Amino acid sequence: MGAFVHKQEVAFVRWPVQSHERDQLREAGLPCLLVLEGQTAPPSDISPTEDWVRPPVDRLDLAARVHTLQRRTGTDFVPALDPTGVLYYGGQSVPMSEAQSEIMRCFLADFGHLVRRDTLKEALNRINNEAVTSNAVDLHIMRLRQRLDGVRLSLRTVWGRGYILEAAT
């Protein structure tokens, strides 16, 4: 049974059976309501785009959880990258190259938090046949910053550590 969507794009995912679907939704920044099976504990890494319930759930409680996720994950809250490499944020969209998409997945996995340069290097290594240099990472970041101007996002440098993707000010 695949994940199904309720109302405006809030996916209901059985936990832990559909953990793979949860990973895909999380990577895309899409809202997800985890339905815990039996006495299963909720995951310890709940993101702002997620919430959980344990059945049976009162209809009004369920509607409140869905509504909260819809508000929390509006287009101005969390950027989303579709499978074709188009980034959506704030009602805008911008196409990404394969390398930019791979880097962006790192930032979207933990939006608003530090992503280390080594993590970005590893992501680029996954799509290249040879090891990626620090200069190559710098070049990709420079090009990505230019792309992000079109959707009101920015990459803030945390010297000696990495970068943070955030709403442009």
Side-chain angles (χ1 to χ4, degrees):
M1 177 175 156
F4 63 94
V5 179
H6 182 267
K7 289 197 177 182
Q8 296 176 2
E9 301 301 299
V10 173
F12 284 42
V13 176
R14 292 173 39 222
W15 178 260
V17 173
Q18 295 177 306
S19 60
H20 180 71
E21 285 91 340
R22 177 206 183 207
D23 294 342
Q24 291 173 333
L25 291 163
R26 188 176 192 164
E27 187 175 293
L30 298 173
C32 172
L33 187 64
L34 302 174
V35 180
L36 304 184
E37 296 186 335
Q39 296 303 312
T40 304
S44 60
D45 60 342
I46 295 288
S47 79
T49 62
E50 298 174 316
D51 200 352
W52 62 271
V53 295
R54 187 180 311 278
V57 183
D58 180 80
R59 193 182 265 308
L60 292 176
D61 291 344
L62 183 63
R65 298 272 179 131
V66 168
H67 179 71
T68 299
L69 276 172
Q70 288 170 332
R71 273 191 332 200
R72 201 185 307 159
T73 58
T75 56
D76 291 329
F77 184 72
V78 178
L81 184 69
D82 76 11
T84 66
V86 177
L87 180 72
Y88 297 90
Y89 182 73
Q92 303 292 318
S93 65
V94 64
M96 301 266 149
S97 70
E98 181 183 16
Q100 290 167 345
S101 293
E102 197 63 34
I103 291 172
M104 188 54 61
R105 285 183 189 94
C106 298
F107 288 113
L108 296 180
D110 208 7
F111 180 59
H113 294 94
L114 177 76
V115 175
R116 298 193 172 279
R117 286 181 59 85
D118 288 345
T119 302
L120 300 175
K121 244 184 187 178
E122 290 169 13
L124 289 170
N125 281 333
R126 286 193 292 267
I127 62 170
N128 289 314
N129 294 330
E130 61 222 28
V132 174
T133 66
S134 288
N135 287 343
V137 172
D138 293 339
L139 181 63
H140 285 293
I141 290 296
M142 180 193 75
R143 289 178 180 160
L144 188 57
R145 280 185 165 133
Q146 293 168 345
R147 286 277 171 175
L148 293 176
D149 283 345
V151 290
R152 298 187 316 263
L153 288 169
S154 67
L155 285 173
R156 180 166 43 105
T157 301
V158 180
W159 295 108
R161 296 178 62 202
Y163 305 91
I164 298 174
L165 178 66
E166 58 194 4
T169 54

